[in-house]
Amino acid sequence: MYGIVLEGGGAKGSYQAGAYKAISENGLGISAVAGTSIGALNGAMIVQGEFETCINLWNDIRYSDIIRDNDQEINRLLHARPDRHTVKVVADKLRGVIWNKGFDISPFKEMIAKHVNEEAIRSSSIEFGISTYNLTDRTSMELFKEDIPEGEMKDYLLASAYMPFFKLEKIGGKTLLDGWFSDNLPYHMLLQRGYENLIILRTHQMEPGDLDELSGLNPMIISPSEDLGRTFDLDGARIRKNMKMGYLDASREIKGLVGKRYYIFPKDEDFYFQYLADMGEHKIRALGELLNIDASPSLSLLFGQIIPRLWSMLDIEKDHDYQWFVISILELALTYLGKDRFEIYQFLDLRDYVISNGHKLPSLEATVHDTMINRFGKLVPFNREEILLRAAGIMLTD
């Protein structure tokens, strides 16, 4: 059984909805949930066993579900050019917000009141914790469901997602704010309860050094493979894209899919080694000419000089295997050709796609690159992508 941790992130929480769908479909048992802000709200739906409702809410969400205002007006203000009229409208709205001491989020409160089932959360066998910040006392608060007074679960969930520009309200005489101000990724709550098998659902892309404290536990970290957009972007197309990305990024971790950008069922190491070894002398000769290596085509030339040169150009770490090498070359070609990345693929199907569209890759005829090699007798750094694409054309097409 796993403990799952859901990071805060506003509209980026749609990514978590897609990720949890993959987790649920693959039968990973969840015995504890901890979340902050939108992560706490998504977590509540997991604990009360109504995550399909959560998916539907994300599919249908509008700005007017959060702030009492007109959807079209909010969209226009968010995406309009800053002309004189727009500036005046924004100024008027901000003046109203300041006068009323914050945005009116009564629709958001109504949504929580309608869909959060406190009784179901409390009676669930799944442990549940949330993070919020006590502005009155200037202290962080990490609360499990048993720490929250009866009848106030919805209030504390709202508090965990309560931004300073909302109309400030009090719980028990205290002003509480979004848990982002204390702990946006409250995995410590589950560690303190003895959970070691953790699933971390991020809404932000990983940075070097993130989660170093968990290095000894080997958690499953599901992190966005590309930027999820703005925290308050509730555009329907963006929401659906993020949900699909979450589903596929989670599937990558659960199923062991390979690829950094694409999602590809893996094959064993021998398959990729043999794929390279079976290329034939004509391809090895073409690769040698591309890299300005003057030697007879052979497997020793391929594995001893050509692949190490391309490996270095791809910035692949030394401890990676031939699978990483071939998949990196493949992804480079697929990205150049504009292949949709939001599907799960078989390697041979993608290879066939490159074969069918190989004529769109950079030509193998003489180019500026060849002229530079002839003149200076060496590869030039600013042609690296072209060299790699031409190598992909040789290696992946007939």
Side-chain angles (χ1 to χ4, degrees):
M1 300 293 281
Y2 290 87
I4 189 168
V5 184
L6 298 100
E7 188 171 28
K12 299 178 185 183
S14 56
Y15 176 85
Q16 296 173 345
Y20 186 75
K21 184 179 182 203
I23 291 168
S24 177
E25 287 180 356
N26 284 278
L28 275 65
I30 303 298
S31 56
V33 175
T36 295
S37 192
I38 194 62
L41 293 169
N42 283 336
M45 304 304 286
I46 294 172
V47 174
Q48 68 186 49
E50 296 184 15
F51 205 75
E52 279 302 314
T53 300
C54 183
I55 294 285
N56 294 334
L57 286 171
W58 277 113
N59 276 322
D60 298 334
I61 197 163
R62 301 290 184 271
Y63 289 106
S64 55
D65 293 325
I66 308 298
I67 297 171
R68 188 167 298 287
D69 209 328
N70 180 276
D71 280 309
Q72 289 73 25
E73 180 69 8
I74 296 173
N75 262 309
R76 190 175 70 81
L77 293 175
L78 286 173
H79 300 101
R81 294 182 178 180
D83 54 29
R84 182 178 299 178
H85 173 71
T86 304
V87 170
K88 182 180 184 304
V89 172
V90 171
D92 289 343
K93 283 197 171 290
L94 288 176
R95 191 177 298 110
V97 168
I98 294 169
W99 182 261
N100 291 298
K101 297 183 180 180
F103 285 101
D104 179 358
I105 60 163
S106 50
F108 189 37
K109 295 168 66 176
E110 291 164 9
M111 180 187 294
I112 292 175
K114 179 179 179 181
H115 294 290
V116 171
N117 185 331
E118 178 169 346
E119 182 180 349
I121 291 173
R122 292 191 182 279
S123 63
S124 172
S125 61
I126 300 174
E127 293 194 77
F128 181 46
I130 67 171
S131 169
T132 186
Y133 182 74
N134 186 326
L135 181 62
T136 303
D137 297 336
R138 302 290 196 274
T139 58
S140 298
M141 297 180 69
E142 292 182 341
L143 306 167
F144 282 95
K145 59 184 179 182
E146 60 269 23
D147 302 320
I148 297 172
E150 292 283 341
E152 296 185 13
M153 181 71 68
K154 297 173 185 178
D155 294 331
Y156 276 87
L157 284 169
L158 178 64
S160 183
Y162 217 92
M163 298 304 292
F165 45 80
F166 294 165
K167 281 186 178 180
L168 293 180
E169 298 181 17
K170 294 186 176 182
I171 300 176
K174 308 289 186 180
T175 298
L176 304 184
L177 289 180
D178 192 294
W180 178 86
F181 294 96
S182 56
D183 189 351
N184 203 37
L185 191 63
Y187 58 84
H188 294 97
M189 296 183 71
L190 299 189
L191 291 180
Q192 290 166 5
R193 293 223 164 177
Y195 286 91
E196 294 186 353
N197 297 322
L198 297 182
I199 300 174
I200 310 290
L201 293 190
R202 305 297 306 266
T203 56
H204 300 81
Q205 292 173 292
M206 294 280 290
E207 295 290 340
D210 271 8
L211 307 181
D212 279 351
E213 299 169 67
L214 296 174
S215 58
L217 299 178
N218 194 30
M220 181 185 296
I221 301 171
I222 299 169
S223 180
S225 50
E226 66 179 65
D227 184 69
L228 297 178
R230 294 174 297 176
T231 302
F232 301 104
D233 187 355
L234 293 178
D235 175 73
R238 166 63 77 175
I239 293 293
R240 289 186 290 275
K241 176 183 177 182
N242 288 348
M243 290 175 69
K244 192 166 189 179
M245 193 192 314
Y247 181 86
L248 291 168
D249 286 347
S251 297
R252 188 205 305 280
E253 297 299 324
I254 296 167
K255 298 176 181 292
L257 305 179
V258 296
K260 287 187 176 180
R261 179 169 176 79
Y262 289 84
Y263 307 88
I264 307 168
F265 281 111
K267 293 181 176 293
D268 59 42
E269 167 74 358
D270 290 342
F271 171 87
Y272 295 98
F273 175 84
Q274 199 59 49
Y275 180 85
L276 294 168
D278 289 343
M279 285 198 302
E281 287 190 1
H282 67 291
K283 290 191 174 185
I284 298 173
R285 180 180 294 106
L287 289 169
E289 292 174 355
L290 175 66
L291 298 173
N292 199 34
I293 299 174
D294 186 14
S296 298
S298 65
L299 289 181
S300 61
L301 175 66
L302 175 65
F303 287 100
Q305 295 189 55
I306 291 173
I307 290 177
R309 182 85 63 88
L310 293 172
W311 196 295
S312 175
M313 295 172 70
L314 285 164
D315 293 327
I316 301 175
E317 295 179 11
K318 291 182 179 180
D319 60 348
H320 282 8
D321 54 23
Y322 290 121
Q323 173 181 265
W324 273 97
F325 173 70
V326 175
I327 294 299
S328 295
I329 288 285
L330 176 65
E331 288 193 308
L332 193 72
L334 294 171
T335 301
Y336 182 85
L337 294 171
K339 178 67 170 172
D340 176 25
R341 81 181 195 90
F342 289 118
E343 298 289 344
I344 298 178
Y345 295 104
Q346 296 286 349
F347 171 80
L348 292 178
D349 291 337
L350 291 175
R351 193 277 312 269
D352 289 344
Y353 175 84
V354 176
I355 290 174
S356 299
N357 294 275
H359 61 282
K360 299 176 185 176
L361 292 170
S363 171
L364 298 183
E365 298 174 358
T367 64
V368 174
H369 161 66
D370 297 298
T371 303
M372 296 296 286
I373 283 183
N374 291 335
R375 185 172 180 183
F376 299 106
K378 61 180 180 180
L379 298 176
V380 285
F382 56 79
N383 281 313
R384 184 176 70 167
E385 183 177 358
E386 180 192 348
I387 294 167
L388 289 170
L389 284 168
R390 292 178 68 187
I394 296 169
M395 295 169 61
L396 299 170
T397 60
D398 294 332

PDB file of all heavy atoms in Angstrom, residues 161-178:
ATOM      1  N   ALA A 161      -6.537  26.156   0.546  1.00  0.00           N
ATOM      2  CA  ALA A 161      -6.442  26.721  -0.806  1.00  0.00           C
ATOM      3  C   ALA A 161      -6.738  28.219  -0.828  1.00  0.00           C
ATOM      4  O   ALA A 161      -7.016  28.786  -1.887  1.00  0.00           O
ATOM      5  CB  ALA A 161      -7.423  25.992  -1.731  1.00  0.00           C
ATOM      6  N   TYR A 162      -6.657  28.871   0.331  1.00  0.00           N
ATOM      7  CA  TYR A 162      -7.109  30.253   0.469  1.00  0.00           C
ATOM      8  C   TYR A 162      -5.977  31.237   0.186  1.00  0.00           C
ATOM      9  O   TYR A 162      -5.033  31.365   0.963  1.00  0.00           O
ATOM     10  CB  TYR A 162      -7.638  30.483   1.890  1.00  0.00           C
ATOM     11  CG  TYR A 162      -8.837  31.384   1.956  1.00  0.00           C
ATOM     12  CD1 TYR A 162     -10.113  30.859   1.923  1.00  0.00           C
ATOM     13  CD2 TYR A 162      -8.689  32.766   2.031  1.00  0.00           C
ATOM     14  CE1 TYR A 162     -11.223  31.674   1.976  1.00  0.00           C
ATOM     15  CE2 TYR A 162      -9.795  33.591   2.082  1.00  0.00           C
ATOM     16  CZ  TYR A 162     -11.062  33.043   2.053  1.00  0.00           C
ATOM     17  OH  TYR A 162     -12.152  33.860   2.082  1.00  0.00           O
ATOM     18  N   MET A 163      -6.068  31.937  -0.955  1.00  0.00           N
ATOM     19  CA  MET A 163      -5.029  32.893  -1.335  1.00  0.00           C
ATOM     20  C   MET A 163      -5.298  34.267  -0.705  1.00  0.00           C
ATOM     21  O   MET A 163      -6.452  34.607  -0.417  1.00  0.00           O
ATOM     22  CB  MET A 163      -4.969  33.022  -2.858  1.00  0.00           C
ATOM     23  CG  MET A 163      -4.606  31.734  -3.571  1.00  0.00           C
ATOM     24  SD  MET A 163      -3.043  31.017  -2.999  1.00  0.00           S
ATOM     25  CE  MET A 163      -1.871  32.235  -3.581  1.00  0.00           C
ATOM     26  N   PRO A 164      -4.249  35.086  -0.502  1.00  0.00           N
ATOM     27  CA  PRO A 164      -4.412  36.378   0.178  1.00  0.00           C
ATOM     28  C   PRO A 164      -5.357  37.348  -0.528  1.00  0.00           C
ATOM     29  O   PRO A 164      -5.903  38.245   0.106  1.00  0.00           O
ATOM     30  CB  PRO A 164      -2.984  36.946   0.213  1.00  0.00           C
ATOM     31  CG  PRO A 164      -2.099  35.765   0.096  1.00  0.00           C
ATOM     32  CD  PRO A 164      -2.832  34.790  -0.776  1.00  0.00           C
ATOM     33  N   PHE A 165      -5.534  37.176  -1.857  1.00  0.00           N
ATOM     34  CA  PHE A 165      -6.405  38.113  -2.572  1.00  0.00           C
ATOM     35  C   PHE A 165      -7.864  37.670  -2.569  1.00  0.00           C
ATOM     36  O   PHE A 165      -8.708  38.283  -3.215  1.00  0.00           O
ATOM     37  CB  PHE A 165      -5.914  38.331  -4.014  1.00  0.00           C
ATOM     38  CG  PHE A 165      -5.536  37.076  -4.748  1.00  0.00           C
ATOM     39  CD1 PHE A 165      -6.512  36.274  -5.308  1.00  0.00           C
ATOM     40  CD2 PHE A 165      -4.216  36.708  -4.873  1.00  0.00           C
ATOM     41  CE1 PHE A 165      -6.186  35.129  -5.979  1.00  0.00           C
ATOM     42  CE2 PHE A 165      -3.864  35.554  -5.544  1.00  0.00           C
ATOM     43  CZ  PHE A 165      -4.845  34.761  -6.105  1.00  0.00           C
ATOM     44  N   PHE A 166      -8.186  36.562  -1.860  1.00  0.00           N
ATOM     45  CA  PHE A 166      -9.580  36.213  -1.626  1.00  0.00           C
ATOM     46  C   PHE A 166     -10.083  37.025  -0.422  1.00  0.00           C
ATOM     47  O   PHE A 166      -9.287  37.520   0.373  1.00  0.00           O
ATOM     48  CB  PHE A 166      -9.727  34.721  -1.292  1.00  0.00           C
ATOM     49  CG  PHE A 166      -9.373  33.788  -2.418  1.00  0.00           C
ATOM     50  CD1 PHE A 166      -9.158  32.445  -2.173  1.00  0.00           C
ATOM     51  CD2 PHE A 166      -9.247  34.240  -3.727  1.00  0.00           C
ATOM     52  CE1 PHE A 166      -8.825  31.575  -3.200  1.00  0.00           C
ATOM     53  CE2 PHE A 166      -8.916  33.385  -4.756  1.00  0.00           C
ATOM     54  CZ  PHE A 166      -8.706  32.040  -4.485  1.00  0.00           C
ATOM     55  N   LYS A 167     -11.383  37.165  -0.319  1.00  0.00           N
ATOM     56  CA  LYS A 167     -11.942  37.810   0.860  1.00  0.00           C
ATOM     57  C   LYS A 167     -11.568  37.009   2.098  1.00  0.00           C
ATOM     58  O   LYS A 167     -11.894  35.830   2.218  1.00  0.00           O
ATOM     59  CB  LYS A 167     -13.473  37.884   0.750  1.00  0.00           C
ATOM     60  CG  LYS A 167     -13.990  39.005  -0.132  1.00  0.00           C
ATOM     61  CD  LYS A 167     -15.504  39.079  -0.039  1.00  0.00           C
ATOM     62  CE  LYS A 167     -16.031  40.235  -0.890  1.00  0.00           C
ATOM     63  NZ  LYS A 167     -17.514  40.322  -0.825  1.00  0.00           N
ATOM     64  N   LEU A 168     -10.862  37.640   3.017  1.00  0.00           N
ATOM     65  CA  LEU A 168     -10.362  36.922   4.181  1.00  0.00           C
ATOM     66  C   LEU A 168     -11.494  36.581   5.150  1.00  0.00           C
ATOM     67  O   LEU A 168     -12.336  37.416   5.452  1.00  0.00           O
ATOM     68  CB  LEU A 168      -9.298  37.748   4.892  1.00  0.00           C
ATOM     69  CG  LEU A 168      -7.995  37.957   4.111  1.00  0.00           C
ATOM     70  CD1 LEU A 168      -7.027  38.799   4.930  1.00  0.00           C
ATOM     71  CD2 LEU A 168      -7.357  36.632   3.741  1.00  0.00           C
ATOM     72  N   GLU A 169     -11.488  35.323   5.584  1.00  0.00           N
ATOM     73  CA  GLU A 169     -12.455  34.866   6.575  1.00  0.00           C
ATOM     74  C   GLU A 169     -11.692  34.158   7.684  1.00  0.00           C
ATOM     75  O   GLU A 169     -10.531  33.804   7.524  1.00  0.00           O
ATOM     76  CB  GLU A 169     -13.482  33.929   5.928  1.00  0.00           C
ATOM     77  CG  GLU A 169     -14.299  34.614   4.834  1.00  0.00           C
ATOM     78  CD  GLU A 169     -15.327  33.679   4.229  1.00  0.00           C
ATOM     79  OE1 GLU A 169     -15.613  32.639   4.865  1.00  0.00           O
ATOM     80  OE2 GLU A 169     -15.844  33.986   3.150  1.00  0.00           O
ATOM     81  N   LYS A 170     -12.352  33.925   8.780  1.00  0.00           N
ATOM     82  CA  LYS A 170     -11.680  33.313   9.921  1.00  0.00           C
ATOM     83  C   LYS A 170     -12.314  31.979  10.286  1.00  0.00           C
ATOM     84  O   LYS A 170     -13.513  31.765  10.079  1.00  0.00           O
ATOM     85  CB  LYS A 170     -11.709  34.253  11.122  1.00  0.00           C
ATOM     86  CG  LYS A 170     -10.895  35.532  10.908  1.00  0.00           C
ATOM     87  CD  LYS A 170     -10.823  36.379  12.165  1.00  0.00           C
ATOM     88  CE  LYS A 170      -9.924  37.596  11.927  1.00  0.00           C
ATOM     89  NZ  LYS A 170      -9.778  38.431  13.150  1.00  0.00           N
ATOM     90  N   ILE A 171     -11.461  31.078  10.816  1.00  0.00           N
ATOM     91  CA  ILE A 171     -11.918  29.803  11.348  1.00  0.00           C
ATOM     92  C   ILE A 171     -11.486  29.756  12.811  1.00  0.00           C
ATOM     93  O   ILE A 171     -10.286  29.852  13.108  1.00  0.00           O
ATOM     94  CB  ILE A 171     -11.301  28.616  10.581  1.00  0.00           C
ATOM     95  CG1 ILE A 171     -11.696  28.670   9.096  1.00  0.00           C
ATOM     96  CG2 ILE A 171     -11.735  27.296  11.192  1.00  0.00           C
ATOM     97  CD1 ILE A 171     -11.060  27.584   8.254  1.00  0.00           C
ATOM     98  N   GLY A 172     -12.437  29.652  13.690  1.00  0.00           N
ATOM     99  CA  GLY A 172     -12.102  29.641  15.115  1.00  0.00           C
ATOM    100  C   GLY A 172     -11.371  30.891  15.548  1.00  0.00           C
ATOM    101  O   GLY A 172     -10.486  30.832  16.414  1.00  0.00           O
ATOM    102  N   GLY A 173     -11.694  32.030  14.929  1.00  0.00           N
ATOM    103  CA  GLY A 173     -11.053  33.290  15.280  1.00  0.00           C
ATOM    104  C   GLY A 173      -9.683  33.486  14.662  1.00  0.00           C
ATOM    105  O   GLY A 173      -9.034  34.509  14.915  1.00  0.00           O
ATOM    106  N   LYS A 174      -9.226  32.542  13.828  1.00  0.00           N
ATOM    107  CA  LYS A 174      -7.913  32.621  13.203  1.00  0.00           C
ATOM    108  C   LYS A 174      -8.062  32.801  11.690  1.00  0.00           C
ATOM    109  O   LYS A 174      -8.965  32.236  11.067  1.00  0.00           O
ATOM    110  CB  LYS A 174      -7.105  31.346  13.460  1.00  0.00           C
ATOM    111  CG  LYS A 174      -7.006  30.944  14.934  1.00  0.00           C
ATOM    112  CD  LYS A 174      -6.116  31.879  15.729  1.00  0.00           C
ATOM    113  CE  LYS A 174      -5.929  31.348  17.153  1.00  0.00           C
ATOM    114  NZ  LYS A 174      -5.066  32.224  17.966  1.00  0.00           N
ATOM    115  N   THR A 175      -7.140  33.581  11.102  1.00  0.00           N
ATOM    116  CA  THR A 175      -7.100  33.727   9.655  1.00  0.00           C
ATOM    117  C   THR A 175      -6.119  32.708   9.091  1.00  0.00           C
ATOM    118  O   THR A 175      -4.933  32.721   9.428  1.00  0.00           O
ATOM    119  CB  THR A 175      -6.649  35.146   9.252  1.00  0.00           C
ATOM    120  OG1 THR A 175      -7.605  36.091   9.762  1.00  0.00           O
ATOM    121  CG2 THR A 175      -6.563  35.278   7.749  1.00  0.00           C
ATOM    122  N   LEU A 176      -6.621  31.797   8.237  1.00  0.00           N
ATOM    123  CA  LEU A 176      -5.799  30.748   7.652  1.00  0.00           C
ATOM    124  C   LEU A 176      -5.604  31.017   6.160  1.00  0.00           C
ATOM    125  O   LEU A 176      -6.505  31.527   5.490  1.00  0.00           O
ATOM    126  CB  LEU A 176      -6.439  29.378   7.859  1.00  0.00           C
ATOM    127  CG  LEU A 176      -6.763  28.987   9.310  1.00  0.00           C
ATOM    128  CD1 LEU A 176      -7.298  27.551   9.358  1.00  0.00           C
ATOM    129  CD2 LEU A 176      -5.534  29.127  10.200  1.00  0.00           C
ATOM    130  N   LEU A 177      -4.426  30.640   5.654  1.00  0.00           N
ATOM    131  CA  LEU A 177      -4.091  30.865   4.246  1.00  0.00           C
ATOM    132  C   LEU A 177      -3.666  29.574   3.570  1.00  0.00           C
ATOM    133  O   LEU A 177      -3.422  28.554   4.215  1.00  0.00           O
ATOM    134  CB  LEU A 177      -2.958  31.892   4.115  1.00  0.00           C
ATOM    135  CG  LEU A 177      -3.276  33.352   4.444  1.00  0.00           C
ATOM    136  CD1 LEU A 177      -2.015  34.200   4.259  1.00  0.00           C
ATOM    137  CD2 LEU A 177      -4.404  33.875   3.555  1.00  0.00           C
ATOM    138  N   ASP A 178      -3.542  29.664   2.256  1.00  0.00           N
ATOM    139  CA  ASP A 178      -3.097  28.557   1.412  1.00  0.00           C
ATOM    140  C   ASP A 178      -1.859  27.871   2.019  1.00  0.00           C
ATOM    141  O   ASP A 178      -0.923  28.530   2.468  1.00  0.00           O
ATOM    142  CB  ASP A 178      -2.752  29.098   0.025  1.00  0.00           C
ATOM    143  CG  ASP A 178      -2.568  28.008  -1.011  1.00  0.00           C
ATOM    144  OD1 ASP A 178      -1.605  27.230  -0.874  1.00  0.00           O
ATOM    145  OD2 ASP A 178      -3.364  27.942  -1.968  1.00  0.00           O
TER     146      ASP A 178
END
